[in-house]
Amino acid sequence: MSSNHVVTFNQARRVAIFGGTHGNEMSGVTLVNLWMGNGGEIRRKGGRDQALHHQPQGGGEVLPIRGHGPEPGIYRRESQFNPLFNPSAPGGKDLPYEVQRAQEINRMFGPKGSADAYDVIFDLHNTTSNMGCTLILESSKDHFNLQMMSYIKKAIAPASCPVLLNEDPRLKYATVRSVAKHSVGLEVGPQPQGVLRSNIFEAMRIILKHALDFIELFNEGVEFPPCTVDVFKVSERMDYPRDANGNIIAMVHPNLQDCDWEPLTPGDPMFQTFDGKTIPYEGVGAVYPTFINEAAYYEKQQAFVTTRREALAANAIRKV
Amino acid sequence: MDSELVFLPPLRRVAICGGTHGNELTGVHVVRERLREEQRKAEEDEEEDDVVSVACVLTNPRAVQQCRRYTETDLNRCFTRAILSSAVSDRTPYEIVRSQELNSLLGPKGSAQAVDLVCDLHNTTANMGLCVIAYSDSDWFCLHIFKEAYSLDSLGKHGFALEIGPQPHGVVRSNIYTFMKTAVELTLEWVRLFNSGTVFEGGSVEVYTMVSNIDYPRERHTHNIMAVIHPKLQDQDFCLLHPKDPMFQTFSGDTLRYKGPEPLYAFFINECAYYEKGIALSLARQRCVAIPTIQMKSGLQHRGEEGTSEEED
């Protein structure tokens, strides 16, 4: 597609904000509860539906979601919500709660891939990693989303807002937000599971405000000129060293802990064993690690992911 | 107190406990590493320590396996005499059954057979650094008043908890692990020195004695919290909170202030596990406790533990 070409989209009339996809990530649960009580803060001109949504059983519970059994994971509610979002899976009342819920969400906000699907879904998450306010995209070719990223980054400058692109089919998973035409994940940390911190809560709120401002401007007819968006593209998942029983035998090295988005070069300390030895990173070239030491990912065999920097070009966009 | 010398019996049997809360991972890994080290020494036929015998125990293995604080009930509230002597059936919660097993292993509580010292390893999401939580200030090994003892560290003749934060539950941070491992090693080194006859000079120790807990403001019907720890108080554990200082911030941005009559020290600020216990923060007074010079003397008996403990984690 030529970069001179203006890409047009229908107005984004139907926007949803999901909180509590992971029930112990408290900022999203709290914001959604708040806005379900009083939606004034998120109301925008031109929006017809701004449905707020969260897992009814999930909101507010503080049980961590981990398992070390032979099954892929005994989670808080039988199975984790996000990665099981495959609307073509068979239905039925015997399915785990989260799978039934995923199919219900597909009916309410999809169907996925159809013209009736919601325009935008924001999915609110927290992480124990020191990721700041990270926006997560699943496509490098969604010009609407790329323009939104560019808008938000400019709005919060000089504060930064990394964009994580997870497009690799081996590493991405079918998220609940993927039902919509444009899906955006918002991951804010560090915050322990089950805890609500005021600074993290406010940061998430501000990012959402700018995102909704962008949608409002777009719907009013503003044309956004071509731009370039710097992203971190997911490259590889790195697990902890483990023993034969699957228990970890090392921790994220103190030099790497909390250093999300900083370069990691071959030879740099990566893990530290429980008796104090250093295990260095032995990849090829510098990478930018993130999701460093996320609590929920111990059971997904992930200590961190590596990313590489890319600049994505976004065409100009305008409403139809 | 003057320089009176108090003789105390040796501490021959010590228990280091981790995983009492299964998602407080530092203690889990410190205990596992010590067990690995013990196994290595046994395989290499190294000499056993005859100055002190150390047992390392994962106290709540089921909760550890699931990485949860507890599976049915908080293990660290199960060591009351009533629970320890209660009848057990198929329906008895796992943690109650386990508390009785631990009482056989490390106690029985209040008896001459109990281990001499229990050191129980915990984490907190609060920014408390390294904190020693003890229950008696007339027990010179551990310094706080001991009231109704319901925690694991009450099983031994003496006991205390090592609480380190901030660390999210379900996460192991290398700096916190190293800190706690070192603290355990220093504790055991102290015990060895004491058992070898070293004289430890008395003096004055600053302690915090808990006064009260404060809950979040909550909605009447849903019980959902309506405010969050104020940004000026978040992470300020052991700061002095004065009347009218900011304490909470509502979701609409209003500040709610501390209304107590006296300045008190805030701690356990925003501990994850305490939301369900209705505690946003705890408040304490600070005071100095005088401790005498002490030296080991064989042949003495440890005093049994009486009385009740302070609120703890």
Side-chain angles (χ1 to χ4, degrees):
Chain A
M1 179 181 291
S2 141
S3 58
N4 294 328
H5 178 86
V6 180
V7 181
T8 56
F9 297 94
N10 291 326
Q11 281 190 60
R13 302 290 298 280
R14 302 196 308 156
V15 175
I17 303 173
F18 285 5
T21 300
H22 299 137
N24 53 12
E25 294 175 13
M26 299 298 289
S27 305
V29 170
T30 308
L31 273 173
V32 164
N33 273 336
L34 189 68
W35 289 333
M36 283 172 86
N38 180 357
E41 191 177 331
I42 55 164
R43 208 160 285 130
R44 293 288 190 276
K45 286 191 303 225
R48 191 189 312 171
D49 282 337
Q50 294 213 335
L52 302 180
H53 195 73
H54 69 124
Q55 293 197 74
Q57 286 190 47
E61 286 204 37
V62 295
L63 301 174
I65 44 171
R66 277 185 60 174
H68 290 292
E71 270 75 43
I74 313 300
Y75 296 91
R76 176 178 54 77
R77 287 277 181 248
E78 300 171 64
S79 52
Q80 192 187 20
F81 190 65
N82 239 357
L84 288 181
F85 197 75
N86 179 1
S88 61
K93 290 200 175 66
D94 296 331
L95 293 171
Y97 168 77
E98 273 87 354
V99 177
Q100 289 184 46
R101 191 80 179 128
Q103 295 184 347
E104 194 180 320
I105 286 180
N106 191 42
R107 282 190 289 279
M108 291 167 66
F109 297 95
K112 182 168 174 170
S114 78
D116 293 332
Y118 260 59
D119 297 298
V120 188
I121 291 178
F122 295 102
D123 190 19
L124 309 182
H125 289 268
N126 289 119
T127 174
T128 56
S129 305
N130 189 25
M131 289 168 73
C133 293
T134 295
L135 292 158
I136 305 183
L137 297 183
E138 294 173 354
S139 164
S140 57
K141 300 180 178 47
D142 184 335
H143 297 271
F144 179 87
N145 269 357
L146 288 173
Q147 288 282 359
M148 186 195 299
M149 302 298 106
S150 176
Y151 179 89
I152 295 172
K153 278 169 166 285
K154 288 195 185 94
I156 67 163
S160 71
C161 170
V163 175
L164 180 67
L165 173 65
N166 192 6
E167 211 173 24
D168 187 330
R170 297 168 303 151
L171 297 173
K172 67 188 288 187
Y173 40 78
T175 56
V176 61
R177 59 184 178 268
S178 63
V179 164
K181 299 186 179 106
H182 308 288
S183 65
V184 179
L186 179 49
E187 190 83 52
V188 186
Q191 179 170 269
Q193 293 175 353
V195 162
L196 188 62
R197 287 181 66 99
S198 55
N199 60 329
I200 300 289
F201 178 77
E202 290 301 324
M204 185 179 273
R205 203 174 189 172
I206 286 169
I207 297 286
L208 269 171
K209 172 198 145 14
H210 291 310
L212 294 175
D213 287 346
F214 167 82
I215 293 174
E216 187 174 9
L217 290 168
F218 175 82
N219 287 348
E220 284 174 352
V222 169
E223 180 173 313
F224 293 87
C227 67
T228 303
V229 181
D230 289 326
V231 305
F232 292 90
K233 184 171 176 175
V234 173
S235 174
E236 200 181 354
R237 174 185 298 158
M238 303 291 286
D239 191 14
Y240 294 95
R242 292 176 187 269
D243 65 16
N245 296 325
N247 294 321
I248 64 170
I249 56 174
M251 314 163 276
V252 171
H253 195 279
N255 287 20
L256 179 59
Q257 178 68 52
D258 299 332
C259 293
D260 296 75
W261 312 118
E262 294 177 29
L264 181 71
T265 52
D268 285 349
M270 184 171 60
F271 296 115
Q272 184 179 71
T273 64
F274 292 114
D275 58 357
K277 298 189 192 55
T278 294
I279 300 174
Y281 173 62
E282 286 175 344
V284 176
V287 291
Y288 295 83
T290 192
F291 273 120
I292 299 173
N293 209 350
E294 160 55 46
Y297 288 166
Y298 281 60
E299 70 183 352
K300 288 191 164 49
Q301 286 77 51
Q302 181 177 307
F304 61 94
V305 293
T306 61
T307 71
R308 295 186 192 271
R309 299 184 77 147
E310 263 190 45
L312 298 181
N315 281 37
I317 66 165
R318 177 181 71 227
K319 77 168 178 181
V320 168
Chain B
M1 182 173 290
D2 60 23
S3 56
E4 157 203 6
L5 173 59
V6 172
F7 289 106
L8 294 169
L11 297 166
R12 292 285 180 219
R13 295 164 61 222
V14 176
I16 306 292
C17 299
T20 298
H21 296 135
N23 56 6
E24 294 177 17
L25 293 191
T26 309
V28 170
H29 289 289
V30 166
V31 163
R32 279 190 179 151
E33 180 59 22
R34 291 195 68 92
L35 288 169
R36 271 195 289 266
E37 182 65 19
E38 276 174 17
Q39 186 165 2
R40 184 194 66 76
K41 284 182 176 160
E43 282 166 5
E44 292 174 11
D45 259 335
E46 276 189 29
E47 265 184 42
E48 278 188 27
D49 193 330
D50 59 357
V51 179
V52 60
S53 155
V54 182
C56 295
V57 185
L58 273 184
T59 50
N60 195 341
R62 197 178 282 186
V64 169
Q65 197 263 345
Q66 295 179 26
C67 197
R68 297 164 62 141
R69 181 174 174 87
Y70 54 83
T71 63
E72 294 178 83
T73 189
D74 191 333
L75 176 63
N76 217 22
R77 301 292 185 274
C78 292
F79 293 91
T80 63
R81 293 177 199 277
I83 292 176
L84 290 176
S85 57
S86 63
V88 161
S89 73
D90 288 344
R91 286 191 300 275
T92 304
Y94 167 76
E95 277 85 5
I96 290 183
V97 174
R98 187 66 184 141
S99 71
Q100 295 189 0
E101 286 172 8
L102 289 163
N103 194 39
S104 303
L105 180 69
L106 304 177
K109 179 166 167 166
S111 76
Q113 290 77 43
V115 297
D116 299 310
L117 181 68
V118 173
C119 178
D120 191 24
L121 308 181
H122 286 268
N123 289 116
T124 174
T125 56
N127 187 24
M128 286 168 65
L130 170 60
C131 191
V132 173
I133 302 183
Y135 300 97
S136 170
D137 68 0
S138 63
D139 170 352
W140 307 128
F141 296 115
C142 325
L143 298 170
H144 282 179
I145 295 290
F146 183 58
K147 288 184 182 176
E148 171 74 30
Y150 52 77
S151 59
L152 171 63
D153 39 17
S154 71
L155 279 189
K157 302 189 180 83
H158 309 277
F160 63 93
L162 278 179
E163 183 87 45
I164 301 193
Q167 179 169 273
H169 298 318
V171 158
V172 59
R173 289 181 63 100
S174 45
N175 60 331
I176 300 278
Y177 169 85
T178 302
F179 202 2
M180 189 178 265
K181 187 159 180 281
T182 305
V184 167
E185 285 160 7
L186 289 172
T187 299
L188 293 173
E189 191 185 306
W190 186 94
V191 170
R192 286 189 191 96
L193 287 171
F194 175 78
N195 287 351
S196 305
T198 304
V199 174
F200 287 92
E201 291 294 328
S204 182
V205 178
E206 213 170 67
V207 305
Y208 295 91
T209 306
M210 210 200 77
V211 171
S212 61
N213 296 318
I214 298 189
D215 192 8
Y216 292 95
R218 292 178 186 269
E219 283 166 9
R220 186 179 304 178
H221 302 296
T222 62
H223 210 57
N224 288 338
I225 65 172
M226 290 165 39
V228 64
I229 294 283
H230 197 278
K232 289 205 164 106
L233 182 58
Q234 179 67 56
D235 299 332
Q236 302 303 313
D237 295 75
F238 300 108
C239 75
L240 189 58
L241 191 66
H242 297 91
K244 297 192 189 164
D245 279 350
M247 196 162 62
F248 297 110
Q249 186 176 69
T250 68
F251 300 130
S252 49
D254 297 323
T255 295
L256 305 176
R257 298 179 183 275
Y258 169 55
K259 289 184 180 150
E262 63 174 300
L264 290 172
Y265 291 86
F267 67 107
F268 272 126
I269 299 172
N270 209 349
E271 161 54 46
C272 163
Y274 288 174
Y275 282 61
E276 74 176 12
K277 296 193 202 299
I279 299 170
L281 63 143
S282 299
L283 293 172
R285 281 191 197 100
Q286 192 188 66
R287 64 191 180 97
C288 285
V289 172
I291 53 174
T293 300
I294 62 173
Q295 187 179 25
M296 186 276 288
K297 187 170 187 176
S298 301
L300 295 179
Q301 293 294 319
H302 282 281
R303 280 173 31 204
E305 295 301 336
E306 301 291 340
T308 53
S309 74
E310 297 287 349
E311 180 75 35
E312 48 72 65
D313 64 307

